[in-house]
Amino acid sequence: MTVESPEVSAAEYDDQQPAAPGGVRADHAGAAADGHGGQGPELDLAPAELAEIAGNAAAEHLSPAFPDRAAWGTASKLRAWQVEALTKYFESEPRDFLAAATPGAGKTTFALRLATELLARGTVDRIVVVAPTEHLKRQWADAADRVNIRIDPMFKNGDGMFGRHYQGVAITYAQVGMNPEVHKRITEGGRTLVVLDEVHHGGDALTWGDGIREAFSGATRRLSLSGTPFRSDTAPIPFVQYAPDEQGIRTSISDYNYGYGRALADGVVRPVLFMAYAGQMRWKTRMGDEMSASLGEQVTKDITAQAWRTALSPEGEWMPAVLQAADTRLTEVRRGVPDAGGLVIATDTTTARAYARILQQITGERPTVVLSDEAAGSSRIGAFAADTSRWMVAVRMVSEGVDVPRLCVGVYATSASTPLFFAQVIGRFVRARRRGETASVFLPSVPGLMALAATLELERDHALDRPKDAEDGMYNPEDAMVAEANKEDRASESLLDMQPFEALDSQASFDRVLYDGGEFGTGGEIGSLEELDFIGIPGLLEPDQVRDLLRARQATQAKRSKGRAVKDGTPKAPEPHRPMYMTIKEQRSELQRLVSIWSRHSNEPHGSIHAELRRISGGPAVAQASIEQIQKRIDILRSRIGGRR
């Protein structure tokens, strides 16, 4: 049974929809049939008018609910960014076009509107969609069918050619890599539009990149899509342009970019609250020694990896406590979003099944478990997307592109920590169906994940080069540092895999909430008022309301903590001594994060921002600056960013 999205009146719908540039609208479906439905004469129109027609041509076949249960605003008219992107495309109609839009923004709708127009104009007569997974092939075919484009998601390389009753095929990058010659014949057998969904996967393997170039070099048009147009490595992405930035680093160039920050301001995506949980971990090494550490404390990478691994063990108390908290949060969200669902991302099939058993004990309801990218897994995802059950547990495969708009609560229960994978996971929760929906993601309080959560709004490009010297304070080192850290993490993990590892005990505690680059909460025990203050935040709030409520809860906790101290009459324990270099290191990271955010909004190079901060506050370059000097620069940028909001 399909659960329909809440109905919205025409007047409310128009009020919610972000305005298109210059008042361009695409809500008159009949215009396509009368003016440019594919049978009439070609019109001499301005780019903006062509963009509106492109939207109308596809909208002619759309029901008011297309895509089924998708975000509000994607039905019979285009979102503002989609009109902008179409306008940009039809200004020159390039052979290659890269549209980078945040997950949940409506890339599929944009691509199908563009494909419908190119088919109607006779620019192309067939379509090839390349997707990362088997499930996404079927998802594309279903969406295309709703606009009368018939593509075959069951095509196999051995078939040689698709049936004449189809207008094209949906295939995976792996299929292309295995036999590019087959797809080259299909592509060059007619005027073909190739849609490369999540195009960054084109660099996943050398054979994939080479195969894509061989298969699709002769395509009439190529549309590349990505919600995360960056990679942690330096493998070039096929058909993507690169150019040196101000530091000489070759980075990818998007023809159109619609980032999370702008989408959040437009109400297209949900605000994300990161619920971080810490706790004490205890495990046994291969030498038989018992080790213990607090999750999230400043320790070596190996210790962090082992503490993290202990936390994720279903045999301890950490995971059951976090799953219980996440389910409590889901109950709160369902007060305003009755069909809201939750997703647990697990590391492997064994832990996935164990997490499912824990959730069944907590909820009394058997979760949906998805363990592979086979047909059975795809059907389970589809069934979960259409029903009102509470939880789904999956092993990585739901991390990218899978459309389950009712997902509002997530548990990040995997040891994967690359920026790309993290962004893909969070992308499953940001798709908004109506204004006010929020997303909550529960995750371990691990430094690497905390850094990724704090920089969610940063727009990243794919860098092919690495700087020779990233210590001069003038280059944005985030991507390079995180990528290098991930390499070290992987080396540590592979070493751990060779060791007999035994998780002995894990205890959870609430740490803090991360939202919009800020941190809220003073920590607390499981089930404490400090935890419930944040778990009980309503599930329907505007972004500004989320920020205001978090600040209010923070203030309440501060007063409560102060009152307890006075009542107990016990002096506050002194803060443990920290070496100066650790404080300076953290300050430099915070300064660089703020410089990155300000650079994105001001379009100023990082070097210019650093130079201006030195001029205003005084002092030497970052590498030689004292704690007080760096703090002054941090305060200046925080004031600017706060004023922007």
Side-chain angles (χ1 to χ4, degrees):
M1 182 176 90
T2 299
V3 180
E4 296 295 336
S5 300
E7 292 186 3
V8 182
S9 68
E12 292 172 327
Y13 188 86
D14 287 345
D15 289 341
Q16 291 176 342
Q17 176 65 12
V24 175
R25 307 183 70 85
D27 49 356
H28 304 291
D34 294 338
H36 200 67
Q39 302 299 323
E42 185 168 340
L43 304 180
D44 183 16
L45 298 175
E49 295 173 299
L50 283 173
E52 182 176 8
I53 287 172
N56 292 335
E60 182 179 4
H61 305 292
L62 299 179
S63 70
F66 173 80
D68 185 29
R69 305 175 66 254
W72 60 266
T74 57
S76 59
K77 60 183 177 182
L78 293 176
R79 287 174 169 163
W81 83 262
Q82 293 164 337
V83 174
E84 288 178 359
L86 283 166
T87 301
K88 182 73 177 293
Y89 183 88
F90 284 108
E91 285 175 351
S92 59
E93 295 197 47
R95 187 179 186 187
D96 285 293
F97 191 86
L98 170 59
T102 189
K107 292 186 293 297
T108 301
T109 298
F110 162 72
L112 291 174
R113 301 289 174 102
L114 180 57
T116 303
E117 176 62 15
L118 292 177
L119 286 168
R121 297 178 64 183
T123 304
V124 301
D125 52 36
R126 60 180 60 178
I127 297 174
V128 173
V129 176
V130 190
T133 67
E134 293 290 328
H135 179 83
L136 287 179
K137 287 180 5 181
R138 289 182 281 273
Q139 191 167 290
W140 268 98
D142 291 344
D145 189 74
R146 296 188 184 103
V147 292
N148 284 351
I149 299 176
R150 316 298 183 195
I151 59 178
D152 180 11
M154 309 305 294
F155 177 84
K156 297 180 175 58
N157 289 349
D159 296 340
M161 178 55 67
F162 58 87
R164 297 183 62 181
H165 46 286
Y166 289 111
Q167 292 167 281
V169 296
I171 54 180
T172 64
Y173 288 95
Q175 277 183 266
V176 179
M178 286 188 289
N179 196 339
E181 184 61 34
V182 169
H183 306 287
K184 179 179 181 180
R185 286 197 299 268
I186 292 175
T187 301
E188 297 180 356
R191 293 167 296 182
T192 304
L193 166 66
V194 176
V195 179
L196 297 162
D197 187 24
E198 303 298 351
V199 68
H200 48 270
H201 283 287
D204 278 357
L206 181 60
T207 55
W208 289 17
D210 292 343
I212 290 167
R213 289 187 182 88
E214 179 182 350
F216 304 128
S217 292
T220 305
R221 298 288 171 87
R222 289 181 292 258
L223 173 63
S224 297
L225 304 172
S226 183
T228 48
F230 62 92
R231 297 176 55 83
S232 297
D233 56 25
T234 56
I237 303 170
F239 309 123
V240 170
Q241 289 185 314
Y242 294 86
D245 62 9
E246 60 269 20
Q247 284 84 29
I249 307 302
R250 291 174 296 164
T251 57
S252 60
I253 300 174
S254 300
D255 296 287
Y256 185 84
N257 193 297
Y258 187 65
Y260 174 80
R262 183 181 164 197
L264 183 62
D266 289 346
V268 169
V269 295
R270 298 170 179 151
V272 181
L273 291 85
F274 291 99
M275 307 285 189
Y277 279 72
Q280 191 68 25
M281 308 295 138
R282 191 165 60 90
W283 65 93
K284 183 180 291 186
T285 69
R286 68 171 179 174
M287 302 300 293
D289 297 328
E290 288 193 11
M291 299 282 292
S292 66
S294 294
L295 197 65
E297 68 178 345
Q298 295 291 333
V299 292
T300 66
K301 289 186 179 296
D302 280 343
I303 297 297
T304 295
Q306 294 175 70
W308 187 354
R309 186 174 181 179
T310 302
L312 298 182
S313 170
E315 305 301 324
E317 297 298 323
W318 194 91
M319 274 304 301
V322 171
L323 291 174
Q324 176 67 71
D327 188 67
T328 302
R329 175 66 185 150
L330 181 59
T331 297
E332 182 61 46
V333 172
R334 284 168 76 104
R335 298 181 193 279
V337 187
D339 69 334
L343 169 65
V344 180
I345 298 289
T347 300
D348 54 49
T349 58
T350 301
T351 54
R353 292 190 179 99
Y355 297 160
R357 288 193 293 269
I358 296 171
L359 281 172
Q360 186 170 357
Q361 293 172 359
I362 292 171
T363 66
E365 177 184 300
R366 179 176 295 179
T368 297
V369 180
V370 181
L371 302 178
S372 69
D373 189 31
E374 301 302 326
S378 182
S379 63
R380 290 192 188 102
I381 294 172
F384 180 82
D387 66 25
T388 60
S389 59
R390 294 177 72 87
W391 284 99
M392 176 164 62
V393 182
V395 181
R396 298 182 68 113
M397 70 164 292
V398 191
S399 65
E400 181 177 47
V402 174
D403 183 13
V404 186
R406 70 185 189 91
L407 287 176
C408 294
V409 177
V411 179
Y412 194 93
T414 174
S415 57
S417 60
T418 64
L420 180 60
F421 182 75
F422 185 83
Q424 291 165 355
V425 169
I426 304 309
R428 299 315 98 222
F429 304 96
V430 301
R431 183 186 298 276
R433 297 174 296 176
R434 56 171 171 153
R435 293 197 74 107
E437 291 183 344
T438 62
S440 305
V441 178
F442 289 70
L443 73 173
S445 186
V446 175
L449 293 184
M450 297 298 96
L452 294 174
T455 56
L456 177 65
E457 68 175 26
L458 287 181
E459 295 175 7
R460 300 170 183 266
D461 294 314
H462 178 213
L464 285 182
D465 306 307
R466 295 288 184 258
K468 294 180 180 178
D469 180 10
E471 300 294 330
D472 57 8
M474 307 298 282
Y475 169 75
N476 175 10
E478 288 180 335
D479 285 334
M481 288 194 303
V482 173
E484 189 62 31
N486 284 332
K487 289 179 182 178
E488 295 178 19
D489 284 342
R490 284 193 290 271
S492 298
E493 288 167 5
S494 62
L495 178 62
L496 287 172
D497 289 339
M498 297 166 54
Q499 301 172 354
F501 178 88
E502 183 181 358
L504 299 177
D505 183 54
S506 61
Q507 301 296 324
S509 62
F510 172 69
D511 188 6
R512 59 193 187 273
V513 175
L514 283 75
Y515 175 72
D516 196 27
E519 297 184 1
F520 304 87
T522 56
E525 298 301 317
I526 297 297
S528 65
L529 290 176
E530 285 75 16
E531 180 192 32
L532 296 177
D533 278 344
F534 294 100
I535 290 182
I537 290 175
L540 283 174
L541 290 172
E542 294 290 330
D544 289 343
Q545 294 174 322
V546 173
R547 190 181 304 110
D548 293 342
L549 187 54
L550 287 172
R551 288 171 177 165
R553 297 287 167 93
Q554 175 107 334
T556 298
Q557 289 193 355
K559 291 179 182 178
R560 188 186 298 145
S561 177
K562 182 178 180 182
R564 287 173 180 166
V566 172
K567 184 177 179 180
D568 295 342
T570 56
K572 184 178 179 182
E575 293 290 334
H577 174 72
R578 286 169 56 83
M580 180 185 294
Y581 76 87
M582 291 183 65
T583 302
I584 291 180
K585 179 182 178 182
E586 291 176 0
Q587 282 190 309
R588 289 177 181 175
S589 297
E590 175 65 6
L591 176 62
Q592 191 59 52
R593 184 181 74 85
L594 294 172
V595 167
S596 298
I597 293 174
W598 186 249
S599 173
R600 173 189 148 200
H601 289 282
S602 66
N603 292 322
E604 297 177 65
H606 289 226
S608 298
I609 298 173
H610 280 290
E612 183 184 8
L613 291 173
R614 286 183 63 185
R615 181 182 60 79
I616 295 173
S617 63
V622 173
Q624 290 79 40
S626 66
I627 293 175
E628 293 77 13
Q629 290 166 336
I630 298 176
Q631 187 61 49
K632 283 184 181 179
R633 302 174 196 186
I634 290 173
D635 293 340
I636 292 171
L637 286 180
R638 281 179 175 165
S639 175
R640 290 184 182 180
I641 294 171
R644 170 179 64 83
R645 291 169 180 157

